Amino acid sequence: KNQVEQSPQSLIILEGKNCTLQCNYTVSPFSNLRWYKQDTGRGPVSLTIMTFSENTKSNGRYTATLDADTKQSSLHITASQLSDSASYICVVSARAGGYNKLIFGAGTRLAVHP
Amino acid sequence: GAVVSQHPSRVICKSGTSVKIECRSLDFQATTMFWYRQFPKQSLMLMATSNEGSKATYEQGVEKDKFLINHASLTLSTLTVTSAHPEDSSFYICSASGTGDGYTFGSGTRLTVV
């Protein structure tokens, strides 16, 4: 069964600190993995997208890694800001019937405190 | 970048009435559009997938007669919640995909049925 599991479920950090969010998946056939940021009451916004051959990708203070062998990904946030408070969702694409089917993780709710 | 506009952002309706939510791709042609539902503190749940000019494919457990989806053009898809009931109150989000591998989400619609 295609699944995406994220940890931790929620996280509180102080402003300026770094943090790492985890994503483990069992999805086949794997197409790509995306990290999204979702502010409360808003739609998800793409942070990174990685294919099978990519190990790391950065977007400003966000750096995503992918280990396709262990089927794990992480999202590292550097020098956190109050505006980083949001849910971070790991989404894995599985190729099915000619198009990609997205499998969503439950998300990690990050709260950055001053 | 790709932009998806979703309207309205919030709607309150009386029980028994119908509500239409629009999803527009502003700067690209969306061959496929997806509709999701999200309950508080949970991740997105796919309701249906629609390809322009054809009938939508609904996920198991989603009533197609209650959630009417129309994708009549390459830039517009609509979701109509018919005979709405309080249990239909939720956050509804669309996403659109063009010829590439990207998925762009709308900003979501908060539906409250009273």
Side-chain angles (χ1 to χ4, degrees):
Chain A
K1 181 182 177 183
N2 288 330
Q3 281 187 317
V4 176
E5 295 184 353
Q6 290 187 244
S7 62
Q9 191 174 45
S10 61
L11 180 64
I12 299 173
I13 61 173
L14 293 178
E15 186 179 11
K17 298 296 185 182
N18 304 335
C19 67
T20 301
L21 315 181
Q22 300 291 343
C23 174
N24 297 339
Y25 62 92
T26 53
V27 174
S28 181
F30 175 88
S31 180
N32 56 59
L33 184 146
R34 310 157 192 262
W35 282 95
Y36 285 89
K37 177 186 178 187
Q38 184 179 22
D39 292 310
T40 301
R42 305 289 294 175
V45 174
S46 180
L47 295 176
T48 63
I49 175 171
M50 289 184 291
T51 59
F52 185 88
S53 59
E54 295 176 293
N55 301 117
T56 183
K57 185 163 281 189
S58 291
N59 178 0
R61 294 181 296 101
Y62 301 103
T63 299
T65 66
L66 174 64
D67 185 332
D69 291 330
T70 62
K71 298 186 177 180
Q72 296 179 325
S73 176
S74 67
L75 180 69
H76 186 75
I77 304 175
T78 305
S80 61
Q81 300 176 359
L82 298 179
S83 58
D84 292 332
S85 296
S87 284
Y88 292 84
I89 305 172
C90 175
V91 184
V92 181
S93 255
R95 197 73 185 169
Y99 70 94
N100 284 336
K101 183 179 177 73
L102 301 185
I103 295 100
F104 287 78
T108 292
R109 289 202 310 283
L110 174 66
V112 181
H113 290 182
Chain B
V3 178
V4 173
S5 174
Q6 187 174 341
H7 291 281
S9 58
R10 290 176 179 270
V11 58
I12 300 173
C13 70
K14 291 185 177 181
S15 187
T17 62
S18 296
V19 174
K20 181 183 283 188
I21 302 170
E22 289 191 350
C23 180
R24 293 179 185 272
S25 57
L26 297 186
D27 51 1
F28 68 101
Q29 293 186 326
T31 51
T32 307
M33 286 190 170
F34 306 84
W35 287 94
Y36 298 86
R37 186 172 180 175
Q38 186 176 31
F39 292 104
K41 298 184 179 180
Q42 294 187 23
S43 194
L44 284 70
M45 290 171 37
L46 180 64
M47 298 174 66
T49 301
S50 74
N51 292 298
E52 183 264 338
S54 59
K55 289 184 178 180
T57 301
Y58 290 80
E59 295 297 301
Q60 192 172 13
V62 177
E63 299 175 58
K64 62 180 181 181
D65 294 330
K66 180 165 188 63
F67 299 100
L68 301 179
I69 291 172
N70 184 283
H71 191 171
S73 77
L74 284 171
T75 60
L76 174 64
S77 176
T78 60
L79 167 68
T80 301
V81 183
T82 63
S83 187
H85 290 285
E87 57 264 31
D88 297 326
S89 298
S90 189
F91 192 56
Y92 293 87
I93 305 174
C94 70
S95 76
S97 177
T99 55
D101 208 22
Y103 292 83
T104 303
F105 288 86
S107 55
T109 297
R110 171 74 59 194
L111 170 63
T112 303
V113 184
V114 297

